[in-house]
Amino acid sequence: MYMLQALDIYKSFGHLEVLKGVTLQVKKGEVISIIGPSGSGKSTLLRCLNRLETIDRGLIEIEGEIMVSTGADKRAHYGNENDIARLRRKMGMVFQNFNLFPHKSVLQNLTLAPILVQNCDAKAAEQTALALLEKVGLAHKARRYPFELSGGQQQRVAIARALAMNLIYCVLMNLPQPWTQN
Ligand SMILES: Nc1ncnc2c1ncn2[C@@H]1O[C@H](COP(=O)(O)OP(=O)(O)O)[C@@H](O)[C@H]1O
Ligand SMILES: [Mg+2]
């Protein structure tokens, strides 16, 4: 018997198809690493296994007990809340944490301090923030919230936020701007 079995898992966020038929079987005592590029769906898979996210399709079994399965209607059906809560208590999870403001968008995370602390003009702060997001490959996530990003993406936002403070400091003090020179 598997400790954990996930068969043919599908999960999308709107038009973004993240998990496309993932199968994973874990035996007692096994140590498994899930590796892949930032944003490829590793955390989403783990969150689905722990019912922090719901899957669209597939089957998840914990110690032989079905948590969710897919019927003839091709939709995922979860067990009742009590059963799921009991299964979840068997699982532990350690989260990544990058101290982004959870209630602010990615863009707001980058502009908040420059505007409040450094009295930066809101438009300028936003332009700088967008340029930095472009640099770290996340311009398309500007309006998203930290919880919607992968761990690596959050890390890159945190890096861009640190740079935003630095860059706007350079502009205010009329110092050379490292980013505009290359
Ligand atoms: N709640 C969400 N809403 C919208 N998009 C999300 C959400 N969670 C994750 N994503 C997107 O799904 C993709 C996979 O994210 P994730 O599973 O966290 O990746 P990683 O492999 O780095 O852990 C990323 O493009 C991410 O932006
Ligand atoms: Mg992750």
Side-chain angles (χ1 to χ4, degrees):
M1 186 181 53
Y2 293 105
M3 234 175 69
L4 184 154
Q5 177 159 235
L7 298 179
D8 213 19
I9 303 296
Y10 284 80
K11 173 68 183 176
S12 297
F13 295 108
H15 293 299
L16 183 65
E17 247 196 319
V18 179
L19 305 179
K20 295 164 242 182
V22 175
T23 290
L24 172 74
Q25 292 169 317
V26 185
K27 290 183 195 144
K28 191 172 179 192
E30 270 187 317
V31 177
I32 292 183
S33 304
I34 299 166
I35 61 173
S38 170
S40 61
K42 306 178 296 293
S43 294
T44 299
L45 175 62
L46 292 178
R47 290 170 62 83
C48 285
L49 296 177
N50 198 16
R51 178 60 167 90
L52 290 172
E53 289 287 356
T54 54
I55 60 170
D56 300 329
R57 199 139 60 82
L59 176 123
I60 298 174
E61 229 179 61
I62 315 291
E63 291 184 329
E65 199 174 329
I66 291 175
M67 180 169 84
V68 54
S69 61
T70 298
D73 59 357
K74 301 240 162 97
R75 284 168 183 274
H77 298 282
Y78 280 84
N80 72 51
E81 289 302 320
N82 284 341
D83 288 342
I84 289 174
R86 188 170 40 75
L87 291 177
R88 287 184 69 186
R89 280 197 289 275
K90 298 183 184 185
M91 293 185 254
M93 195 158 176
V94 177
F95 295 93
Q96 296 167 313
N97 182 4
F98 297 101
N99 297 319
L100 296 173
F101 303 116
H103 56 297
K104 301 276 181 200
S105 71
V106 165
L107 191 65
Q108 289 167 335
N109 262 279
L110 266 67
T111 57
L112 192 71
I115 292 170
L116 287 184
V117 181
Q118 297 177 331
N119 260 327
C120 188
D121 170 68
K123 270 255 143 50
E126 205 166 293
Q127 270 175 10
T128 305
L130 284 170
L132 285 169
L133 285 175
E134 192 79 48
K135 291 259 179 214
V136 298
L138 288 175
H140 63 298
K141 299 285 186 187
R143 305 286 163 190
R144 297 283 163 184
Y145 285 76
F147 78 90
E148 296 177 294
L149 302 186
S150 76
Q153 289 170 334
Q154 288 180 34
Q155 200 163 34
R156 280 183 273 154
V157 172
I159 291 168
R161 184 174 60 173
L163 290 172
M165 289 292 283
N166 210 5
L167 179 62
I168 287 165
Y169 179 75
C170 291
V171 174
L172 286 177
M173 302 307 287
N174 214 3
L175 296 170
Q177 298 160 42
W179 287 103
T180 53
Q181 307 208 324
N182 49 44

